[in-house]
Amino acid sequence: MLPALTAAPVFGATLDDKPGRKQPKPPTTMSTVGGAQLGKPGTQVRLGAGAPVLPKDVSGRSWIVADAESGDVLAAHNAHWRLPPASTMKMLFADTVLPKLSKDTVHRVTSEDLAGVGDGSSLVGVKEDQTYTVHDLWLGVFLRSGNDAVHVLAEMNGGMDKTIHDMQEHADELQALDTRVVSPDGYDAPGQVSSAYDLTLIARSGMQKKDFREYCSTVRAAFPGEQKEGERRESFEIQNTNRLLTGAVGIEPYKGIAGVKNGNTTHAGATFTGVAERDGRVLLVTVMNPESEESQAVYKETARLFDWGFAAAGKVTPVGELVPPKSADTAPSEPVKDGKGAPAKPVAAGQHGSGGMGVALAVAGGVLALVAAGAFLVKRRWPLPERMRRFPRS
């Protein structure tokens, strides 16, 4: 989404006083959630024997590379710099609201549902007085980053104010303490900030949820068009705007990519959080606001950091960790077993529904089990419940 706003300093940043174009500088002190080293400005990495050097062509103001399962932060750059998140804020919206609404619920959209959608917002094409399932609306959120779909779902959740409160409460539960929610769709708003560290925590939480994983990994889907009297309702195709998932001019789909969310606004610049699997290892990478003029820089820089992370895994000393939610039970869990008492076997990837080509996740052990009071019984620290395998969807 690209709201038409006048240029202004990046929220949470300070500006240097050099002549010409002023560049924001990170705060000298930042949050130390996840480890003291993550609170330091600049690049943080501890290379061991045989570890590759970090790629030089990464210009993001803030970025992080983390092991999604162990929680180890392999490298980071201004990880806790509070910056505008753009539509990556929709990850928090989805992680908060998805469990509350049945995806089979049918809703007729009112003018009140669409009130307040910002000028220049990215839209999926939701129309007043038309009916949509919650499933349709989530496809609009994840694939087209539709602010119209976000507003409708927020109203179904009890209204904008309640949804913003719920999101802030959930961010605090996740210990995403750099995050302040002002608008649930990520539209530029004074004071709305997050950080590469927080967005990575939020993505990690979202990937615990099956529907979240399916939506963020779908490449294309059919979306309902306008119902006209006496005519059959047609649909139109929507495609995911995550270019590491779909590919674009100058960008190939990234091998092993399985989501999660991109964004772009006037103040935030380009932002992106991605998750990918290679050789049984799952990494999360977040990049915020690359300063490079390279086309599609946020995706290319993310891909370079993924490549580095997979090559460096096991050869670097972590500079911090992704903390678990406040309510998480971090005691080791028993291995998941099948009905005969044997360790559960991986579930093979297969065909799913009729949503077009996409990426899905197959169970390969290390699952999470929900327990009382919403806490998690976990294996290791807070691992993702499933591994990623890329395969076609019919």
Side-chain angles (χ1 to χ4, degrees):
M1 55 190 163
L2 295 168
L5 299 176
T6 57
V10 176
F11 303 120
T14 58
L15 298 179
D16 64 24
D17 56 3
K18 294 179 180 179
R21 181 182 176 186
K22 293 185 177 181
Q23 294 292 340
K25 297 171 64 176
T28 55
T29 58
M30 293 175 279
S31 168
T32 56
V33 172
Q37 195 166 353
L38 296 179
K40 298 178 181 179
T43 301
Q44 309 300 320
V45 66
R46 297 174 182 168
L47 300 177
V53 297
L54 284 163
K56 294 181 179 180
D57 45 357
V58 176
S59 65
R61 291 176 179 171
S62 175
W63 54 259
I64 192 169
V65 182
D67 187 302
E69 293 192 325
S70 71
D72 291 339
V73 176
L74 306 185
H77 179 76
N78 302 324
H80 280 290
W81 191 356
R82 303 179 76 199
L83 297 167
S87 284
T88 49
M89 181 64 81
K90 290 183 173 77
M91 295 189 296
L92 179 60
F93 172 73
D95 195 37
T96 303
V97 177
L98 242 174
K100 300 181 179 183
L101 302 174
S102 170
K103 63 183 179 182
D104 297 323
T105 299
V106 177
H107 178 75
R108 183 173 293 277
V109 175
T110 68
S111 58
E112 290 78 12
D113 292 337
L114 297 175
V117 175
D119 293 340
S121 287
S122 53
L123 305 172
V124 67
V126 174
K127 302 294 184 182
E128 180 183 342
D129 203 33
Q130 299 291 305
T131 59
Y132 302 88
T133 64
V134 168
H135 173 70
D136 293 330
L137 295 169
W138 282 121
L139 286 171
V141 170
F142 278 93
L143 274 67
R144 292 298 304 165
S145 204
N147 289 7
D148 46 359
V150 169
H151 278 245
V152 175
L153 289 165
E155 291 300 323
M156 294 179 70
N157 184 56
M160 294 296 288
D161 289 345
K162 179 181 183 298
T163 298
I164 289 168
H165 177 271
D166 290 349
M167 290 171 64
Q168 190 65 65
E169 191 173 65
H170 187 51
D172 294 344
E173 156 64 16
L174 295 178
Q175 302 197 62
L177 305 182
D178 298 323
T179 299
R180 182 185 173 202
V181 184
V182 179
S183 173
D185 51 20
Y187 191 86
D188 280 333
Q192 177 153 271
V193 290
S194 190
S195 66
Y197 183 87
D198 280 15
L199 293 175
T200 306
L201 280 186
I202 293 163
R204 193 185 191 207
S205 176
M207 295 301 288
Q208 306 295 318
K209 299 173 176 63
K210 181 177 183 295
D211 285 344
F212 187 106
R213 296 192 301 270
E214 288 294 323
Y215 287 129
C216 79
S217 64
T218 299
V219 171
R220 58 180 60 88
F223 192 82
E226 187 173 356
Q227 176 68 67
K228 296 181 180 180
E229 186 175 354
E231 298 182 14
R232 178 177 176 272
R233 189 176 189 181
E234 300 291 339
S235 62
F236 58 92
E237 183 179 277
I238 57 176
Q239 181 170 297
N240 204 308
T241 54
N242 173 357
R243 299 310 181 198
L244 289 189
L245 192 64
T246 64
V249 176
I251 301 178
E252 293 293 327
Y254 190 82
K255 182 179 180 181
I257 193 73
V260 284
K261 191 69 187 78
N262 58 307
N264 197 313
T265 66
T266 300
H267 288 305
T271 60
F272 181 66
T273 297
V275 63
E277 184 270 346
R278 186 176 297 175
D279 298 328
R281 187 179 296 275
V282 184
L283 296 183
L284 282 160
V285 171
T286 295
V287 176
M288 301 186 76
N289 201 344
E291 297 177 350
S292 167
E293 296 182 0
E294 180 182 27
S295 173
Q296 308 280 10
V298 75
Y299 300 111
K300 293 177 181 178
E301 295 187 10
T302 298
R304 291 168 191 144
L305 289 171
F306 269 131
D307 288 344
W308 176 86
F310 287 122
K315 301 174 184 176
V316 297
T317 300
V319 295
E321 67 173 352
L322 301 178
V323 295
K326 292 178 181 178
S327 64
D329 179 354
T330 56
S333 64
E334 293 297 322
V336 178
K337 296 182 178 181
D338 63 17
K340 299 179 181 179
K345 296 180 179 180
V347 177
Q351 301 297 322
H352 286 249
S354 57
M357 299 294 289
V359 178
L361 309 173
V363 178
V367 300
L368 293 177
L370 278 171
V371 294
F376 289 104
L377 185 66
V378 304
K379 183 178 181 181
R380 286 189 282 169
R381 293 182 182 175
W382 196 43
L384 284 172
E386 299 178 353
R387 302 285 192 177
M388 292 81 169
R389 291 180 181 177
R390 183 166 188 160
F391 67 93
R393 295 171 62 145
S394 61

